[in-house]
Amino acid sequence: MEIMMTAKKTTRTAKPAKPAAVELTETIETAVAAGKEFVVKASADTATKGVDKAIAMSKEQVNAAAKAGTEVLKSYEDVVGFGKESIDAVVTANVILMKGLQELNTQFFGITTFSLEKNAEATKKLFTCKTPEEFFALQNDLAKANYDDVLVEFQKMSNLSVKVADDFFAPIGKQVDAAVEKITKQLVA
C-alpha cells in the first residue's frame, strides 16, 4: 500500500521590521501608561484605608472619652456637655484629617505623574546618544537630577505630613485640656 502525502505550500508576507528604538519607545510608553494606572489605583486604595483607620480611631476615642466622662463626672449635664464637646472635637479633627489626607494623596499623585513623565523623557534622550561616553554622561546627569527631585519632594511630603498631624490633634488636645481642667476643679471642690 502506498500512501501519498501532499504538502500544502503557504506563502507569508513579511511585515517590515520596526526600528529597535521605535519598538523600545513604544514599550516604554506602554509601561508608563500602565504605571500611571497602577499609581492611581494604589493612591485610591491607600486613601480609603486611611479614612477607614481614622474613622475606627475616632470611634475608639469617642468611646473612651464617653466612658471616662461617665466615670468621673457626676452630674448628667456635665456628662452630656463633655460628650458633646468631645464629639465635636473628634468630628472637627476628622474633617481636618480627611482634608489633609486628600492633600497628601493629591501631592503624591502629582509627584508620581511628574516622575513617570520625566523618566519617559529621559529614556528618550538616552536613546539619542551616539557614544557610550555620551550615554553615561547623560545617565549621570539624569541620576543627579532625579536624586535632587526626590529630596525636594520628600521634604515637601514630610512637612505636609507634620502639618496634617498637628492640625488633626489640635482640637482633640484642646478638648483633653478642657476635660482635665474640669475634672481637676471637681476633684478639688
Side-chain angles (χ1 to χ4, degrees), residues 53-66 82-98 167-176:
K53 188 175 182 179
I55 289 171
M57 287 174 44
S58 297
K59 286 180 181 178
E60 290 173 12
Q61 290 171 346
V62 169
N63 290 338
F82 178 73
K84 182 187 179 313
E85 292 165 2
S86 296
I87 290 171
D88 289 345
V90 170
V91 168
T92 301
N94 280 334
V95 168
I96 292 169
L97 179 64
M98 292 306 107
D167 292 349
F168 170 72
F169 286 112
I172 295 171
K174 287 179 185 176
Q175 180 57 27
V176 168

Side-chain angles (χ1 to χ4, degrees), residues 21-90:
V22 172
E23 286 182 11
L24 193 51
T25 302
E26 289 173 353
T27 303
I28 290 169
E29 289 172 353
T30 303
V32 167
K36 284 182 181 179
E37 182 179 327
F38 174 76
V39 167
V40 170
K41 280 185 176 181
S43 295
D45 290 345
T46 302
T48 301
K49 288 177 185 175
V51 169
D52 292 343
K53 188 175 182 179
I55 289 171
M57 287 174 44
S58 297
K59 286 180 181 178
E60 290 173 12
Q61 290 171 346
V62 169
N63 290 338
K67 183 178 178 182
T70 303
E71 292 174 1
V72 176
L73 301 174
K74 301 297 180 196
S75 73
Y76 176 74
E77 292 171 357
D78 286 342
V79 172
V80 170
F82 178 73
K84 182 187 179 313
E85 292 165 2
S86 296
I87 290 171
D88 289 345
V90 170

Side-chain angles (χ1 to χ4, degrees), residues 39 42 51 53 83 87 97 101 129 133 158 166 178 182:
V39 167
V51 169
K53 188 175 182 179
I87 290 171
L97 179 64
L101 290 175
C129 294
E133 293 81 17
S158 178
D166 287 345
K182 188 182 280 188

Side-chain angles (χ1 to χ4, degrees), residues 115-133:
S115 177
L116 288 171
E117 290 170 355
K118 187 174 179 180
N119 286 337
E121 289 176 25
T123 303
K124 288 178 184 178
K125 286 181 184 178
L126 288 171
F127 284 124
T128 64
C129 294
K130 307 253 187 281
T131 65
E133 293 81 17

